[in-house]
Amino acid sequence: MLFKALTRRSRILIAVAAAAAVVLAVAVTVALTVTTYDHTSPRAARAKASGSVTGNADCRMEKCVALSFDGGPSPTTPRLLDILKQQGLHATFFVQGKGHISKYPDILRRIADEGHEIGNHTWNHKRLTDLDEDDARQELSRTQDAIERITGTRPVLMRPPEGRTNRKVAKICQDLGLAQVLWSVTAKDYETTDSALITKRVLDQTHRDGIILLHDLHKGTVPAVPGILKALKQRGYTIVTVSQLLAPAKPQPGMVYRP
């Protein structure tokens, strides 16, 4: 009986030890995969900042939402610029190098000339987290150089493809003077040409201090913009660029901004 009891106790201890090892392994895995880069929200960034806000919108007092477009410039961008000009609004354009900046420099120049904010969306739209440090840096620096060459201004904002970032990407962005901008509203306009559906998705997700992500190169997106703008204004939103949403805070290189 004593032998059986000792054997049973040994088995219990082994089982407990095994379970503890599993728990520890899971804890280590979680610790390695949680966010390890600096991040904040537009509202939190504003709360820590002081000073006055230039321009017509003070998002400390107003119900703001930032409007942003990824993946251009493209042949559909001029129509979007016409719409924004008619409405007296400005947006943030995260532009892409290959097949976009390189193909439509005049459209990029118009974006800048009409007072819109321009951000970096890499050269080839590759996941920066999947690249080695040198290649990831090249994706951003090549785009920075092209934008500056065409517009005369070097961006201070970037959007990582698919929103994928990590400490490596954050360090590269810090070196290049780029703050990272994620989003809170996505219409997934890359999977539909239904402008009514795109509009509904945007309006269903929009909240104060949010950042809307659309793609001006997709067929259904630009036709949806007038309805989106009208509905947002009816709901009391002030539509701004990303930097206006952060003001009086200034974008900090390497920081990830996500609503």
mmCIF file of all heavy atoms in Angstrom, residues 157-178:
data_model
loop_
_atom_site.group_PDB
_atom_site.id
_atom_site.type_symbol
_atom_site.label_atom_id
_atom_site.label_comp_id
_atom_site.label_asym_id
_atom_site.label_seq_id
_atom_site.Cartn_x
_atom_site.Cartn_y
_atom_site.Cartn_z
ATOM 1 N N LEU A 157 5.065 60.766 -41.530
ATOM 2 C CA LEU A 157 4.138 59.689 -41.189
ATOM 3 C C LEU A 157 4.328 58.512 -42.142
ATOM 4 O O LEU A 157 4.674 58.695 -43.315
ATOM 5 C CB LEU A 157 2.684 60.157 -41.300
ATOM 6 C CG LEU A 157 2.237 61.350 -40.462
ATOM 7 C CD1 LEU A 157 0.784 61.671 -40.771
ATOM 8 C CD2 LEU A 157 2.415 61.070 -38.967
ATOM 9 N N MET A 158 4.077 57.322 -41.658
ATOM 10 C CA MET A 158 4.054 56.145 -42.519
ATOM 11 C C MET A 158 2.945 55.215 -42.040
ATOM 12 O O MET A 158 2.496 55.303 -40.895
ATOM 13 C CB MET A 158 5.397 55.415 -42.511
ATOM 14 C CG MET A 158 5.796 54.779 -41.188
ATOM 15 S SD MET A 158 5.079 53.137 -40.825
ATOM 16 C CE MET A 158 5.996 52.094 -41.944
ATOM 17 N N ARG A 159 2.509 54.350 -42.934
ATOM 18 C CA ARG A 159 1.560 53.295 -42.554
ATOM 19 C C ARG A 159 2.148 51.965 -42.987
ATOM 20 O O ARG A 159 2.393 51.745 -44.177
ATOM 21 C CB ARG A 159 0.194 53.516 -43.194
ATOM 22 C CG ARG A 159 -0.796 52.365 -42.912
ATOM 23 C CD ARG A 159 -2.213 52.772 -43.245
ATOM 24 N NE ARG A 159 -2.769 53.632 -42.214
ATOM 25 C CZ ARG A 159 -3.752 54.522 -42.435
ATOM 26 N NH1 ARG A 159 -4.224 54.675 -43.656
ATOM 27 N NH2 ARG A 159 -4.230 55.243 -41.439
ATOM 28 N N PRO A 160 2.403 51.058 -42.043
ATOM 29 C CA PRO A 160 2.967 49.762 -42.411
ATOM 30 C C PRO A 160 1.949 48.922 -43.176
ATOM 31 O O PRO A 160 0.776 48.878 -42.787
ATOM 32 C CB PRO A 160 3.304 49.126 -41.057
ATOM 33 C CG PRO A 160 2.412 49.817 -40.074
ATOM 34 C CD PRO A 160 2.207 51.210 -40.591
ATOM 35 N N PRO A 161 2.349 48.292 -44.268
ATOM 36 C CA PRO A 161 1.431 47.421 -44.997
ATOM 37 C C PRO A 161 0.772 46.398 -44.073
ATOM 38 O O PRO A 161 1.442 45.768 -43.239
ATOM 39 C CB PRO A 161 2.344 46.742 -46.023
ATOM 40 C CG PRO A 161 3.403 47.767 -46.286
ATOM 41 C CD PRO A 161 3.656 48.401 -44.945
ATOM 42 N N GLU A 162 -0.549 46.288 -44.202
ATOM 43 C CA GLU A 162 -1.371 45.391 -43.386
ATOM 44 C C GLU A 162 -1.336 45.751 -41.903
ATOM 45 O O GLU A 162 -1.802 44.978 -41.059
ATOM 46 C CB GLU A 162 -0.958 43.930 -43.591
ATOM 47 C CG GLU A 162 -1.105 43.454 -45.026
ATOM 48 C CD GLU A 162 -0.736 42.002 -45.202
ATOM 49 O OE1 GLU A 162 -0.670 41.259 -44.199
ATOM 50 O OE2 GLU A 162 -0.496 41.595 -46.361
ATOM 51 N N GLY A 163 -0.756 46.899 -41.577
ATOM 52 C CA GLY A 163 -0.673 47.303 -40.177
ATOM 53 C C GLY A 163 0.324 46.503 -39.371
ATOM 54 O O GLY A 163 0.316 46.540 -38.140
ATOM 55 N N ARG A 164 1.225 45.799 -40.039
ATOM 56 C CA ARG A 164 2.163 44.906 -39.353
ATOM 57 C C ARG A 164 3.425 45.660 -38.952
ATOM 58 O O ARG A 164 4.125 46.217 -39.803
ATOM 59 C CB ARG A 164 2.531 43.741 -40.262
ATOM 60 C CG ARG A 164 1.310 43.014 -40.809
ATOM 61 C CD ARG A 164 1.400 41.571 -40.532
ATOM 62 N NE ARG A 164 0.239 40.879 -41.071
ATOM 63 C CZ ARG A 164 0.059 39.584 -40.968
ATOM 64 N NH1 ARG A 164 0.954 38.853 -40.334
ATOM 65 N NH2 ARG A 164 -1.016 39.004 -41.458
ATOM 66 N N THR A 165 3.692 45.652 -37.672
ATOM 67 C CA THR A 165 4.877 46.334 -37.175
ATOM 68 C C THR A 165 5.438 45.579 -35.978
ATOM 69 O O THR A 165 4.776 44.693 -35.410
ATOM 70 C CB THR A 165 4.555 47.792 -36.803
ATOM 71 O OG1 THR A 165 5.782 48.483 -36.526
ATOM 72 C CG2 THR A 165 3.622 47.885 -35.608
ATOM 73 N N ASN A 166 6.655 45.918 -35.622
ATOM 74 C CA ASN A 166 7.305 45.327 -34.450
ATOM 75 C C ASN A 166 8.440 46.255 -34.024
ATOM 76 O O ASN A 166 8.563 47.376 -34.533
ATOM 77 C CB ASN A 166 7.818 43.910 -34.756
ATOM 78 C CG ASN A 166 8.755 43.849 -35.959
ATOM 79 O OD1 ASN A 166 9.340 44.856 -36.365
ATOM 80 N ND2 ASN A 166 8.915 42.679 -36.537
ATOM 81 N N ARG A 167 9.259 45.791 -33.104
ATOM 82 C CA ARG A 167 10.347 46.646 -32.605
ATOM 83 C C ARG A 167 11.346 47.009 -33.696
ATOM 84 O O ARG A 167 11.871 48.112 -33.730
ATOM 85 C CB ARG A 167 11.053 45.956 -31.441
ATOM 86 C CG ARG A 167 10.287 46.040 -30.129
ATOM 87 C CD ARG A 167 11.078 45.449 -28.994
ATOM 88 N NE ARG A 167 11.238 44.008 -29.138
ATOM 89 C CZ ARG A 167 11.915 43.224 -28.295
ATOM 90 N NH1 ARG A 167 12.529 43.775 -27.267
ATOM 91 N NH2 ARG A 167 11.986 41.932 -28.475
ATOM 92 N N LYS A 168 11.609 46.065 -34.595
ATOM 93 C CA LYS A 168 12.537 46.337 -35.690
ATOM 94 C C LYS A 168 12.014 47.467 -36.563
ATOM 95 O O LYS A 168 12.745 48.421 -36.881
ATOM 96 C CB LYS A 168 12.723 45.070 -36.530
ATOM 97 C CG LYS A 168 13.548 45.276 -37.800
ATOM 98 C CD LYS A 168 13.441 44.075 -38.730
ATOM 99 C CE LYS A 168 12.057 43.972 -39.340
ATOM 100 N NZ LYS A 168 11.905 42.780 -40.194
ATOM 101 N N VAL A 169 10.755 47.385 -36.945
ATOM 102 C CA VAL A 169 10.149 48.413 -37.791
ATOM 103 C C VAL A 169 10.117 49.747 -37.061
ATOM 104 O O VAL A 169 10.406 50.800 -37.638
ATOM 105 C CB VAL A 169 8.737 47.988 -38.233
ATOM 106 C CG1 VAL A 169 8.058 49.107 -39.021
ATOM 107 C CG2 VAL A 169 8.790 46.699 -39.055
ATOM 108 N N ALA A 170 9.788 49.701 -35.777
ATOM 109 C CA ALA A 170 9.738 50.933 -34.987
ATOM 110 C C ALA A 170 11.108 51.618 -34.940
ATOM 111 O O ALA A 170 11.208 52.841 -35.043
ATOM 112 C CB ALA A 170 9.240 50.641 -33.578
ATOM 113 N N LYS A 171 12.157 50.819 -34.799
ATOM 114 C CA LYS A 171 13.512 51.381 -34.749
ATOM 115 C C LYS A 171 13.883 52.020 -36.093
ATOM 116 O O LYS A 171 14.457 53.125 -36.141
ATOM 117 C CB LYS A 171 14.522 50.288 -34.412
ATOM 118 C CG LYS A 171 15.991 50.734 -34.417
ATOM 119 C CD LYS A 171 16.244 51.847 -33.401
ATOM 120 C CE LYS A 171 17.733 52.121 -33.195
ATOM 121 N NZ LYS A 171 18.396 52.584 -34.453
ATOM 122 N N ILE A 172 13.546 51.362 -37.195
ATOM 123 C CA ILE A 172 13.828 51.920 -38.517
ATOM 124 C C ILE A 172 13.071 53.227 -38.707
ATOM 125 O O ILE A 172 13.621 54.228 -39.186
ATOM 126 C CB ILE A 172 13.444 50.909 -39.617
ATOM 127 C CG1 ILE A 172 14.354 49.685 -39.547
ATOM 128 C CG2 ILE A 172 13.532 51.553 -40.996
ATOM 129 C CD1 ILE A 172 13.893 48.524 -40.410
ATOM 130 N N CYS A 173 11.808 53.228 -38.315
ATOM 131 C CA CYS A 173 10.999 54.441 -38.446
ATOM 132 C C CYS A 173 11.555 55.574 -37.594
ATOM 133 O O CYS A 173 11.564 56.739 -38.015
ATOM 134 C CB CYS A 173 9.550 54.145 -38.050
ATOM 135 S SG CYS A 173 8.658 53.140 -39.266
ATOM 136 N N GLN A 174 12.021 55.238 -36.421
ATOM 137 C CA GLN A 174 12.628 56.250 -35.565
ATOM 138 C C GLN A 174 13.851 56.851 -36.249
ATOM 139 O O GLN A 174 14.036 58.079 -36.258
ATOM 140 C CB GLN A 174 13.010 55.645 -34.225
ATOM 141 C CG GLN A 174 13.522 56.650 -33.208
ATOM 142 C CD GLN A 174 13.804 55.999 -31.874
ATOM 143 O OE1 GLN A 174 14.262 54.858 -31.802
ATOM 144 N NE2 GLN A 174 13.510 56.697 -30.800
ATOM 145 N N ASP A 175 14.661 56.023 -36.847
ATOM 146 C CA ASP A 175 15.861 56.496 -37.545
ATOM 147 C C ASP A 175 15.502 57.394 -38.730
ATOM 148 O O ASP A 175 16.229 58.351 -39.035
ATOM 149 C CB ASP A 175 16.683 55.309 -38.058
ATOM 150 C CG ASP A 175 17.295 54.483 -36.935
ATOM 151 O OD1 ASP A 175 17.341 54.977 -35.792
ATOM 152 O OD2 ASP A 175 17.701 53.338 -37.208
ATOM 153 N N LEU A 176 14.389 57.087 -39.404
ATOM 154 C CA LEU A 176 13.997 57.816 -40.607
ATOM 155 C C LEU A 176 13.067 58.990 -40.325
ATOM 156 O O LEU A 176 12.640 59.683 -41.250
ATOM 157 C CB LEU A 176 13.331 56.863 -41.606
ATOM 158 C CG LEU A 176 14.213 55.744 -42.167
ATOM 159 C CD1 LEU A 176 13.402 54.825 -43.078
ATOM 160 C CD2 LEU A 176 15.411 56.319 -42.923
ATOM 161 N N GLY A 177 12.742 59.207 -39.041
ATOM 162 C CA GLY A 177 11.876 60.322 -38.682
ATOM 163 C C GLY A 177 10.410 60.101 -38.996
ATOM 164 O O GLY A 177 9.679 61.057 -39.277
ATOM 165 N N LEU A 178 9.958 58.843 -38.941
ATOM 166 C CA LEU A 178 8.593 58.495 -39.323
ATOM 167 C C LEU A 178 7.788 57.975 -38.141
ATOM 168 O O LEU A 178 8.215 57.043 -37.445
ATOM 169 C CB LEU A 178 8.604 57.415 -40.411
ATOM 170 C CG LEU A 178 9.093 57.849 -41.792
ATOM 171 C CD1 LEU A 178 9.394 56.635 -42.655
ATOM 172 C CD2 LEU A 178 8.049 58.742 -42.468
#
